[in-house]
Amino acid sequence: LVTLVLLLFVGCALLWSNLNITTACATSVVDDTFDGTTLDRCKWDEVSQSGGQFTVNNQAIATTSSSFAFSIPRMTSQYRLKGDFDYQVDFTIGSGWADPIPAGSGLEVQLAVYWDDSRYVQIGRGKDDGGEYIKPYTPIPSQGGINSIRVQNSQISEKFRLVRSGSSLSLKYH
């Protein structure tokens, strides 16, 4: 069983306009365009920290608070995926992303497949002193080789995609 986790770290807004998860037989098990103005608690749980929050206005909008050094809006799915799956999150980086950040700090958006605290795989889109980037990460020792990958990127409308087929998990970025 895995849980979908959407995270945004420190100082900006991010807009999720569409989420679609399909199973191996191409049946859509989650398809949320975030219509309306309320987060659907049958689909999502918000577990934000230090002023981070999600609002809904025909899209899920993640925002952080500058009142805290570490502000995290965090939304987890109520779905528990078993077997093969393919999910994609379409997003647009919103206001605040282009603002300067203090030296030694950064911003990062993450999409993760989460089993427990010591077993997860995530893909992040961020910026820091080294520029804007995409990078995967996992604490799983046998998969740690992905942690050194960092690809420069500056697009603002993007897609994260995670696909599990058998024992393979692929992290994709479009």
Side-chain angles (χ1 to χ4, degrees), residues 8-12 48-53 63-73 102 105-107:
L8 173 68
F9 290 99
V10 185
C12 67
S48 298
Q49 299 170 351
S50 302
Q53 68 177 357
T63 56
T64 57
S65 171
S66 60
S67 300
F68 298 89
F70 190 69
S71 177
I72 305 172
S105 67
L107 297 171

Side-chain angles (χ1 to χ4, degrees), residues 8 11 15 27 32 36 43 93 107 114 127 150-151 171:
L8 173 68
L15 315 175
T27 303
D32 198 345
K43 295 179 180 181
I93 295 173
L107 297 171
Y114 182 88
K127 80 174 193 175
R150 180 179 163 126
V151 178
L171 290 83

Side-chain angles (χ1 to χ4, degrees), residues 21 36 43 56 89 103 119 134 155:
I21 301 173
K43 295 179 180 181
V56 176
V89 176
R119 296 181 308 142
I134 301 165
Q155 294 181 344

Side-chain angles (χ1 to χ4, degrees), residues 13-25:
L14 184 77
L15 315 175
W16 277 278
S17 56
N18 185 51
L19 172 77
N20 186 268
I21 301 173
T22 57
T23 61
C25 58

Side-chain angles (χ1 to χ4, degrees), residues 1-6 16-34 42-45 75-90 111-114 160-165 169-170:
L1 293 174
V2 296
T3 302
L4 168 65
V5 179
L6 304 172
W16 277 278
S17 56
N18 185 51
L19 172 77
N20 186 268
I21 301 173
T22 57
T23 61
C25 58
T27 303
S28 182
V29 292
V30 179
D31 192 359
D32 198 345
T33 56
F34 302 102
C42 292
K43 295 179 180 181
W44 305 103
D45 188 23
M75 183 168 58
T76 61
S77 73
Q78 297 287 11
Y79 299 95
R80 302 305 181 251
L81 305 175
K82 294 166 48 170
D84 293 347
F85 59 81
D86 180 339
Y87 69 83
Q88 176 175 303
V89 176
D90 301 347
L111 175 64
V113 173
Y114 182 88
F160 282 151
R161 186 172 173 206
L162 294 170
V163 179
R164 183 170 68 187
S165 179
L169 179 65
S170 300

